Amino acid sequence: MRRGDAIGRHALVITAIVAMLFPVVLALATSFKPVTTIFDLNPIPVPASLENYDLALGRFPIGRLLFNTFVMAIGVTVTTILVALPGAYALVRFDRARGRGLVLVAVGASLLIPPQALIIPQFLMTTRLGWQGHTIGVIIPQLGVSALALLLLRDHIRAIPQSLIGAAVLEGATSWEILRHVVLGLLRPALGAVAILLFISTWNEFLWPLLVMPDPEDTTIQPGLALFLGPESSQYGPMLAASMLASLPVVAIYVLASRRIADAFLHSGVR
Amino acid sequence: MTLTLAPPKPRADGRTQSGVAWLYFSPVMLSIIVWVYGPLVFTAVLSFLDWNLVAPDIEWNGLTNYHTLLTQPEFGNAAWNTVKYALWVLPFATVVPCALAIALWKRPGRTSEFYRMLLFLPVVLAPVANALSWQFILDPLHGTLNQVLGILGVEPVNWLGDPATALPTIVAVTAPKVVALNTLLFGAALANVDRRTVDAARLDDATEGEITRAIILPQLRRPFILLGLLSMVVVWPWLFTNIGVLTRGGPSGATDNVYYRLYTYGFTFFDAGTASAAAIVIAVVFGLLLTFSSLLSRRFRATR
């Protein structure tokens, strides 16, 4: 590769990274600035201060919001995998089952229906079930999107060598034993990646928790931030500090697991 | 004492297979029937009713909701904005991530891995936090952007408050997520390209530009179309969050789109009928577009 090409390549990628990440970096730096210098153009927060974090923690029930968000994200991750994994496994294992085509179509089409077209009935059902204001109301209805996890898992299960499953069949293992002892063991890395993606995307969910848990004191972190700091708010310091606290857990998880997430996509059938 | 070796049971026989398979299928089928297909039918029924979501009196309304909806200038405006959003988003879903993915693919290694990690980060970042960071940067009086432009002698712009700039600004705030996701997915598509052909071309003194044009791009045609389509599925909730936090559809409807309008009908005006009619219109148009484009891409593949 010629030198000029290499420089051009790095320049392209670095420009994109800077353009995409500077708002966050700027917000992070600004969150450590004292109120008096918050609009100064110099982005470096010297002298640094934790004033904004103090204000944010004092004003918002951030512990409560983070706890609710955590419960929701774990709840959705676990229930989605419990629902999607058996389905994904059966699609691969029982390839001649009657109605398999129907399952595939139903699952695929469910992802193409605009979710916004479903929120009114989902909201009414959740209210009728008495789940309004409870974490279960934000967890269970999100099972509607379990099809995506199913398709990702199916690709990984398909990649398991048939010989391993064939051997287990010859030894008389039932399909459940094969799932538990053969498939689950080999699937662990992919399952981890899917779980992390589910956790992160649920953590960032905005509209559904806003509808089901609209109390600013007892909701999840995304609607919580928006409810406390609408377009009228101009108290940028505490707002940015709270935003950083809202992103911190998922960014930490991502940085630790980014390799695994990339691999899960690169080796899946998304291509 | 006789010892019999039982032959392996023919357990893969069609009928028992189906029974067991449906035990495994049932959780996911139940979930999507209850939370996707049921609500879809429910929405269709609601679209013919006059109901405010809470009051006990529900009236049959015939096609009135559809008539109201389609004759309202707000819905027409939202529909036209939706087209504008789609056109603005498309390059960030195709050309930009494709170029980035090719740049990363050409030189695999630690640096590329590191770049890739940073490039995916916007997908992970909390969307409301991202919107609020932008609100700070775009503040009309003290915002970083206007301050920098001021130094360059440009008059301050009210980015989110001016109908001329508001929609592109919302797209700019949302674009990093689209670019980030599709860069990863283009990377997955590139994993199929045979590196040896590229090495051979390099030995033959082909320039990098020629290699990209002649070898890599032709193999990315299908992902190009697919990922453009995929972005039309995933981008609306992301836009929704930014619209909801930054502009609430304003100024004077400039950043509204059909999805935000649906939410406004349903949860600001509590008009379940009109909101459901909007939902059905959106779902039908969206379904037609998907069918049309998949037919087109199949045709395209056949004539290639």
Side-chain angles (χ1 to χ4, degrees):
Chain A
M1 198 186 248
R2 267 159 263 225
R3 191 146 183 191
D5 291 326
I7 291 170
R9 199 178 69 92
H10 283 284
L12 172 74
V13 176
I14 290 170
T15 310
I17 290 173
V18 170
M20 283 158 70
L21 293 180
F22 88 89
V24 189
V25 176
L26 190 67
L28 180 65
T30 308
S31 71
F32 290 107
K33 282 184 180 176
V35 174
T36 43
T37 63
I38 201 156
F39 288 116
D40 283 4
L41 260 191
N42 174 14
I44 298 152
V46 175
S49 118
L50 287 176
E51 189 182 331
N52 295 321
Y53 286 85
D54 268 350
L55 280 170
L57 289 171
R59 188 150 354 130
F60 317 124
I62 226 166
R64 178 89 218 157
L65 301 186
L66 289 175
F67 174 76
N68 283 343
T69 317
F70 186 78
V71 172
M72 169 180 77
I74 289 285
V76 171
T77 306
V78 171
T79 50
T80 303
I81 287 181
L82 284 179
V83 161
L85 180 63
Y89 167 68
L91 278 176
V92 178
R93 179 77 184 80
F94 303 106
D95 53 355
R96 283 177 300 145
R98 197 171 305 162
R100 182 179 170 275
L102 175 77
V103 174
L104 263 178
V105 171
V107 161
S110 78
L111 292 173
L112 297 178
I113 297 166
Q116 295 87 345
L118 310 172
I119 51 170
I120 289 175
Q122 287 176 341
F123 177 74
L124 292 172
M125 289 158 71
T126 311
T127 312
R128 189 53 61 87
L129 285 164
W131 290 349
Q132 179 75 5
H134 297 287
T135 344
I136 188 164
V138 284
I139 295 174
I140 300 299
Q142 292 197 49
L143 281 178
V145 289
S146 49
L148 186 63
L150 185 146
L151 292 179
L152 274 173
L153 288 174
R154 181 186 68 141
D155 288 327
H156 287 277
I157 296 174
R158 238 189 337 214
I160 293 174
Q162 271 304 303
S163 58
L164 287 174
I165 292 172
V169 172
L170 277 182
E171 284 179 22
T174 64
S175 62
W176 179 249
E177 286 163 349
I178 295 174
L179 173 59
R180 280 208 46 194
H181 300 299
V182 183
V183 175
L184 215 51
L186 295 166
L187 205 61
R188 208 167 289 156
L191 207 57
V194 171
I196 289 164
L197 280 174
L198 281 168
F199 185 90
I200 291 173
S201 66
T202 315
W203 182 278
N204 288 338
E205 188 63 40
F206 171 66
L207 176 58
W208 188 244
L210 176 71
L211 294 176
V212 177
M213 302 179 81
D215 176 6
E217 300 283 339
D218 189 18
T219 181
T220 66
I221 194 75
Q222 303 301 325
L225 277 177
L227 287 169
F228 271 109
L229 315 147
E232 294 81 21
S233 162
S234 54
Q235 290 222 302
Y236 285 117
M239 172 168 119
L240 294 176
S243 299
M244 292 305 113
L245 292 176
S247 274
L248 189 67
V250 271
V251 172
I253 292 175
Y254 171 68
V255 170
L256 291 175
S258 67
R259 197 62 168 277
R260 199 170 247 207
I261 294 175
D263 282 354
F265 271 104
L266 292 178
H267 301 149
S268 82
V270 179
R271 53 184 181 239
Chain B
M1 204 167 99
T2 50
L3 200 112
T4 46
L5 258 177
K9 276 174 269 169
R11 56 170 67 247
D13 129 70
R15 189 160 336 135
T16 55
Q17 211 195 22
S18 305
V20 180
W22 275 89
L23 279 181
Y24 289 99
F25 290 146
S26 51
V28 72
M29 288 303 278
L30 204 66
S31 299
I32 60 178
I33 286 169
V34 171
W35 294 108
V36 177
Y37 293 105
L40 188 64
V41 175
F42 198 172
T43 303
V45 174
L46 279 175
S47 74
F48 296 109
L49 304 177
D50 181 14
W51 186 35
N52 71 355
L53 288 176
V54 273
D57 50 318
I58 303 174
E59 270 174 52
W60 183 256
N61 215 358
L63 288 172
T64 318
N65 292 327
Y66 288 93
H67 185 255
T68 323
L69 181 75
L70 296 175
T71 49
Q72 258 179 1
E74 287 89 355
F75 192 73
N77 170 58
W80 174 232
N81 280 352
T82 308
V83 175
K84 285 200 261 184
Y85 273 118
L87 293 177
W88 275 103
V89 164
L90 223 43
F92 296 108
T94 51
V95 180
V96 177
C98 184
L100 288 171
I102 290 175
L104 291 180
W105 183 83
K106 277 198 172 166
R107 265 295 164 84
R110 295 223 140 202
T111 324
S112 287
E113 288 290 324
F114 180 65
Y115 285 156
R116 190 169 276 143
M117 187 193 95
L118 289 177
L119 279 171
F120 190 69
L121 200 55
V123 176
V124 175
L125 289 172
V128 176
N130 177 55
L132 293 174
S133 308
W134 275 98
Q135 194 178 324
F136 172 75
I137 293 167
L138 298 171
D139 186 286
L141 288 179
H142 314 287
T144 320
L145 184 56
N146 277 348
Q147 283 197 52
V148 172
L149 288 177
I151 293 169
L152 302 172
V154 181
E155 288 289 300
V157 180
N158 190 355
W159 298 99
L160 291 165
D162 183 341
T165 51
L167 189 146
T169 307
I170 291 285
V171 173
V173 171
T174 316
K177 273 199 189 280
V178 184
V179 173
L181 179 66
N182 281 7
T183 303
L184 183 74
L185 296 178
F186 269 111
L190 278 166
N192 285 346
V193 177
D194 190 351
R195 284 188 185 279
R196 282 171 301 182
T197 52
V198 174
D199 292 338
R202 280 193 188 135
L203 285 180
D204 280 345
D205 270 341
T207 67
E208 290 300 316
E210 285 166 353
I211 291 173
T212 306
R213 265 190 307 275
I215 301 174
I216 300 176
L217 283 181
Q219 302 196 50
L220 287 182
R221 261 182 226 165
R222 247 176 78 72
F224 213 83
I225 297 171
L226 281 176
L227 294 179
L229 283 175
L230 177 77
S231 70
M232 291 299 115
V233 179
V234 299
V235 78
W236 306 109
W238 292 340
L239 286 167
F240 184 95
T241 307
N242 289 327
I243 296 168
V245 175
L246 294 175
T247 63
R248 306 215 170 131
S252 50
T255 57
D256 205 3
N257 66 30
V258 288
Y259 299 100
Y260 201 77
R261 195 98 284 268
L262 189 165
Y263 169 79
T264 312
Y265 286 137
F267 296 96
T268 309
F269 303 154
F270 299 106
D271 180 351
T274 312
S276 302
I280 294 300
V281 170
I282 294 169
V284 167
V285 172
F286 190 75
L288 287 176
L289 284 178
L290 272 185
T291 318
F292 177 71
S293 51
S294 82
L295 285 178
L296 203 70
S297 81
R298 203 168 296 168
R299 175 106 183 235
F300 172 78
R301 231 187 326 167
T303 53
R304 187 149 61 101

